[in-house]
């Protein structure tokens, strides 16, 4: 089991290394940030001085090694325009993104699990078909389209909710629905599939033979077993939420790191972009690592396999 954890941790760290390296080179090979930020008629001598000041005049390999040297010391670099540390700029936006993504995750669980269970219990009925139709539709709608549709209906037409802002609880409603609908649809489909498989298992028939009520069977026996494969999907949901927050925050002018990333890419703030991407990648890979470790806790079969060198 210890070897399994170490292998997973090493893979996680290697993935982060690849992400950081890829982003570093892509950002620098797609254009000169100094030329992008300064007017076209800027004196070339001024441009050269800025490149020297920001370390962009050195060979790319030297910049890369220097970046890692600073990063290992906790220095994520500074923004070009105001000289502030990139990590400080990103940290100011993290609470807003956490508020949005955690609420959206709660929405996914609260909506997805009951819908999946209800569809499985009513398999083959109009209720089942209706829930699955809604799930397919919710999964198929792009974030930006759903967000704009909600703004048109609830803000422009009905005037029930504000189209932007983050000061009040009701500002969360449309962004959370936009961000969480696809995830809730996926969870509903997976829970339905897992529940159907579990409900046909021999031990469920044994529970019925012992006189357990259908409600007790569903909630105390079937659901815990059906939830095990769904946990993997919920781990991937973290990446989906973080990626989807970029679009959602832009549509609703939400002041999180997703919107910061768009602004930083436009302004060619390399240090800020690298920091946002690194934090996003770290959140995704460590969430998947946490799911793998959670599997060891809740599934004895997986724990045995890891102990014998499998997995």
């Amino acid at each position: 089991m210890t070897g399994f954890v170490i292998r997973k941790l090493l893979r996680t760290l290697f993935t982060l290394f690849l992400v950081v390296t890829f982003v570093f080179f892509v950002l620098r090979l797609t254009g000169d940030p100094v030329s992008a930020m300064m007017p076209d008629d800027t004196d070339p001598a001024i441009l050269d001085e800025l490149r020297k000041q920001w370390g962009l005049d050195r060979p790319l390999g030297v910049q890369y090694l220097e970046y890692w040297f600073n990063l290992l010391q906790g220095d994520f670099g500074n923004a070009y325009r105001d000289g502030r540390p990139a990590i400080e700029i990103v940290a100011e936006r993290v609470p807003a993104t956490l508020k949005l993504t955690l609420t959206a995750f709660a929405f996914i669980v609260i909506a997805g699990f009951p819908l999946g269970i209800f569809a499985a219990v009513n398999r083959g009925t109009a209720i089942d078909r209706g829930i699955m139709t809604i799930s397919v539709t919710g999964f198929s709608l792009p974030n930006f389209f759903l967000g704009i549709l909600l703004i048109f209906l609830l803000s422009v037409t009905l005037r029930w909710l504000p189209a932007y802002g983050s000061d009040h609880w009701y500002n969360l409603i449309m962004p959370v629905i936009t961000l969480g609908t696809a995830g809730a649809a996926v969870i509903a489909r997976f829970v339905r599939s897992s529940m159907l498989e579990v409900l046909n298992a021999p031990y469920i028939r044994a529970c019925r033979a012992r006189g357990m009520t259908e409600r007790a069977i569903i909630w105390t026996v079937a659901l815990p077993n059906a939830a095990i494969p769904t946990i993997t999907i919920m781990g991937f949901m973290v990446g989906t939420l973080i990626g989807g927050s970029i679009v959602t925050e832009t549509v609703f002018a939400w002041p999180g790191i997703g919107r910061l990333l768009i602004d930083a890419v436009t302004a060619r703030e390399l240090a800020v972009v690298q920091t946002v991407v690194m934090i996003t990648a770290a959140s995704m890979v460590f969430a998947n690592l946490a799911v793998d470790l959670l599997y060891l806790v809740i599934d004895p079969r997986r724990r045995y396999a890891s102990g014998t060198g499998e997995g």
Side-chain angles (χ1 to χ4, degrees):
M1 180 174 174
T2 302
F4 172 81
V5 174
I6 292 175
R7 287 197 303 273
K8 288 292 183 180
L9 184 59
L10 290 176
R11 289 177 187 174
T12 298
L13 295 176
F14 183 64
T15 301
L16 283 177
F17 169 77
L18 292 179
V19 169
V20 171
T21 300
F22 177 77
V23 172
F24 179 90
F25 284 104
V26 166
L27 286 175
R28 283 156 180 78
L29 294 174
T30 52
D32 178 18
V34 176
S35 301
M37 286 189 293
M38 303 301 291
D40 293 337
D41 57 353
T42 303
D43 189 334
I46 296 177
L47 298 179
D48 291 338
E49 180 61 28
L50 288 174
R51 293 189 187 98
K52 183 177 180 181
Q53 178 182 337
W54 293 336
L56 298 173
D57 61 327
R58 292 190 286 272
L60 197 57
V62 175
Q63 293 183 46
Y64 176 70
L65 293 176
E66 184 179 17
Y67 175 73
W68 270 109
F69 178 78
N70 293 332
L71 188 63
L72 293 176
Q73 298 182 77
D75 182 3
F76 289 77
N78 298 326
Y80 294 141
R81 294 184 183 275
D82 57 12
R84 294 174 61 201
I87 190 66
E88 180 182 311
I89 296 173
V90 176
E92 293 174 351
R93 303 292 192 99
V94 169
T97 296
L98 283 177
K99 182 180 179 181
L100 175 60
T101 53
L102 291 178
T103 308
F105 188 81
F107 170 77
I108 288 173
V109 174
I110 292 172
F113 269 87
L115 286 174
I117 294 170
F118 201 47
V121 172
N122 295 276
R123 178 184 184 182
T125 66
I127 294 175
D128 180 23
R129 290 191 292 270
I131 291 175
M132 288 300 99
T133 300
I134 293 173
S135 297
V136 171
T137 303
F139 179 73
S140 303
L141 289 176
N143 273 9
F144 71 90
F145 177 79
L146 180 58
I148 294 173
L149 180 62
L150 290 175
I151 290 175
F152 177 75
L153 291 176
L154 301 181
S155 296
V156 177
T157 304
L158 300 175
R159 300 184 181 275
W160 286 352
L161 295 170
Y164 60 89
S166 60
D167 297 330
H168 305 284
W169 65 268
Y170 48 77
N171 291 116
L172 271 170
I173 295 176
M174 289 196 295
V176 164
I177 293 174
T178 300
L179 187 57
T181 295
V186 171
I187 292 298
R189 291 176 63 83
F190 268 87
V191 169
R192 176 187 180 274
S193 177
S194 298
M195 283 290 292
L196 289 176
E197 182 177 348
V198 169
L199 288 174
N200 291 323
Y203 60 85
I204 296 295
R205 292 195 293 272
C207 290
R208 291 193 180 104
R210 287 199 298 267
M212 288 183 65
T213 65
E214 199 68 21
R215 181 185 296 272
I217 290 173
I218 291 172
W219 292 103
T220 64
V221 181
L223 182 58
N225 285 279
I228 292 177
T230 311
I231 290 176
T232 302
I233 305 302
M234 293 178 69
F236 288 118
M237 285 297 160
V238 175
T240 302
L241 288 175
I242 294 174
S245 69
I246 297 175
V247 176
T248 303
E249 290 179 2
T250 303
V251 171
F252 293 98
W254 189 266
I257 61 173
R259 187 181 176 195
L260 174 64
L261 178 62
I262 299 298
D263 295 339
V265 169
T266 304
R268 300 291 297 167
E269 290 284 4
L270 303 188
V272 176
V273 174
Q274 289 168 176
T275 304
V276 172
V277 172
M278 190 183 310
I279 291 176
T280 302
S283 301
M284 295 170 65
V285 296
F286 279 108
N288 290 325
L289 175 63
V291 168
D292 287 333
L293 298 181
L294 184 60
Y295 250 95
L296 297 180
V297 175
I298 64 176
D299 191 349
R301 295 168 299 179
R302 185 68 173 266
R303 188 160 59 245
Y304 173 78
S306 67
T308 57
E310 300 174 16

